[in-house]
Structure formats: structure tokens, C-alpha cells
């Protein structure tokens, strides 16, 4: 499942409206929950950007004007354990198309990062977010 979120003040219920318009009344509560989640993730991402600014020795609010009314893509991917991984195609190596990616993993392994000319596996930690 993939949908857009906007922190622009004119898009206040964009996620909730998407679920209602696309999937109907029975998904209204689901849309409300994800609207709240997207707002929380937007707040988290702004906090991370402030920390990055501080670590770079620039003003804490340096990135705020650029990212405050951010556009985001929320993706909910489910990758069950694969019974025949040698016969399965994944998404393949790629770079995330956004400035910041915040990922919550489940117990299924597969995330890798490219460091020092090699792909390295990241062990899943269900109690943490991976920030790229």
C-alpha cells in the first residue's frame, strides 16, 4: 500500500480523505490512524533534520523552512518469509527518492546498505527505526 502525505496546511486530512475516497466508509478509521501516524512521522523527520543541522554546526532551524511543509510517500510493504528465495525477484538495489527515509522493519531480513563498495546486511530491529 502506498499513499501520499502532505504537511502543507491546505492538505490537513489528505491521508484520511484518500482512504475514504478510494476505499470507502469502512476504511475511515484506518485512514484516521494513518493520518495521525503520518503527522507523527513528519514531526519526527523535522526533529531529525534539526539534529543533522546541529551536527553540521549550522543553525538548528536551517532545514525547517525547506522541509516544514514536506511531501512524503508512505509505504506499507509486507514481505513474508520466502520459501524459495532463489526463484524470487525483489526490488533490486535502489536509492530512496527522498531526502530522508524512516523505516520500521519487521523480523524479515533483506535490508542492505552499500558501504565501501559492498552491500552489507542490516539486521532487523523491531524496536527501532532505520534512518537513511
Amino acid at each position: 500500500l502506498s499513499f501520499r502525505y502532505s504537511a502543507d496546511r491546505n492538505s490537513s486530512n489528505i491521508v484520511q480523505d484518500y482512504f475514504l475516497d478510494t476505499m470507502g466508509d469502512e476504511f475511515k478509521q484506518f485512514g484516521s490512524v494513518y493520518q495521525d501516524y503520518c503527522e507523527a512521522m513528519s514531526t519526527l523527520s523535522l526533529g531529525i533534520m534539526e539534529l543533522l543541522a546541529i551536527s553540521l554546526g549550522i543553525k538548528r532551524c536551517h532545514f525547517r523552512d525547506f522541509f516544514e511543509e514536506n511531501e512524503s510517500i508512505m509505504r506499507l510493504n509486507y514481505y513474508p518469509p520466502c520459501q524459495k528465495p532463489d526463484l524470487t525477484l525483489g526490488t533490486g538495489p535502489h536509492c530512496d527518492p527522498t531526502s530522508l527515509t524512516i523505516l520500521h522493519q519487521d523480523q524479515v531480513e533483506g535490508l542492505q546498505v552499500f558501504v565501501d563498495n559492498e552491500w552489507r546486511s542490516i539486521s532487523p530491529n523491531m524496536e527501532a527505526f532505520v534512518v537513511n
Side-chain angles (χ1 to χ4, degrees):
L1 177 62
S2 182
F3 53 90
R4 184 174 148 256
Y5 169 75
S6 176
D8 184 339
R9 289 174 186 85
N10 296 324
S11 302
S12 61
N13 289 322
I14 190 170
V15 175
Q16 188 170 343
D17 293 345
Y18 170 79
F19 278 89
L20 189 60
D21 295 343
T22 306
M23 296 186 219
D25 286 333
E26 63 271 16
F27 286 91
K28 184 175 183 177
Q29 180 64 27
F30 192 71
S32 178
V33 167
Y34 274 103
Q35 178 74 43
D36 292 345
Y37 185 78
C38 287
E39 290 168 5
M41 295 306 287
S42 179
T43 300
L44 175 62
S45 67
L46 288 173
I48 291 170
M49 295 308 279
E50 286 183 356
L51 292 173
L52 288 172
I54 292 168
S55 71
L56 292 170
I58 56 180
K59 290 182 183 178
R60 178 182 187 152
C61 62
H62 181 82
F63 296 115
R64 181 164 289 278
D65 288 340
F66 188 75
F67 290 105
E68 194 163 36
E69 293 184 352
N70 66 75
E71 295 272 330
S72 301
I73 301 168
M74 172 64 75
R75 287 201 174 97
L76 296 104
N77 296 325
Y78 175 64
Y79 300 105
C82 185
Q83 302 301 318
K84 298 180 180 180
D86 54 321
L87 300 177
T88 305
L89 298 175
T91 60
H94 66 277
C95 293
D96 293 335
T98 56
S99 304
L100 187 68
T101 297
I102 302 172
L103 172 68
H104 183 256
Q105 296 174 276
D106 60 12
Q107 71 279 4
V108 178
E109 294 184 13
L111 178 65
Q112 295 181 321
V113 294
F114 194 68
V115 179
D116 297 329
N117 274 344
E118 67 177 299
W119 286 100
R120 297 184 186 180
S121 294
I122 304 296
S123 298
N125 180 349
M126 292 176 47
E127 297 179 16
F129 288 111
V130 175
V131 178
N132 293 331

